[in-house]
Amino acid sequence: MALVKDNLLLHAVRGTLGNQFTIYERNDQIIIAKKRGPSKNKPTKKQLEARYKMKVAAAYAKAILLDPDIKAYYKSLAGPGQNAYNMAVKDAYKSPEVQNIRFEDETVVVTAKDEFRVAEVTVRVLDGDGVILERGPAVVGRNGVDWYYKLASRPPGGKIIVVAVDLPGNETVREVKLE
């Protein structure tokens, strides 16, 4: 790979030359690189999964960027050499993270983070037999990371299931057993 500085000849040239070199521009720099061809190896299972995940993320980005408000949100997060599409793909590629579930009296406090933002957190309370006793949305706290859900009851031997969802709809599920 070579970086080209102030070359009048290559200033307007982009593409492949003689099936040997590829000339492209990235971050206002002209780059000349050896032309890459397709791999001759059969893709692994992980590669196929990654390709599928990227295809889904790209489809999400194309669809969601039709909404001007969401496009403006992603554009505001883009850095140099990035755009709203890049940010939307990145957001769709990763699920939110539920970092902590704790109890404060009769309130469940869920700490959920995402590189962009967590759209919603829902809480389900199950008894020892797995029957849902209550469910509902948690309310985001002032810090934007902690979500609060007021419990009606804490059945002994039951469990609490927390589902965090980000803007693209990726879900992360965590559960805590009650004693």
Side-chain angles (χ1 to χ4, degrees), residues 152-163:
S153 65
R154 276 172 79 169
K159 63 183 171 182
I160 293 189
I161 298 175
V162 174
V163 180

Side-chain angles (χ1 to χ4, degrees), residues 1-5 26 29-32:
M1 178 178 81
L3 297 176
V4 179
K5 306 250 184 203
R26 175 171 253 162
Q29 290 185 324
I30 300 171
I31 300 170
I32 300 177

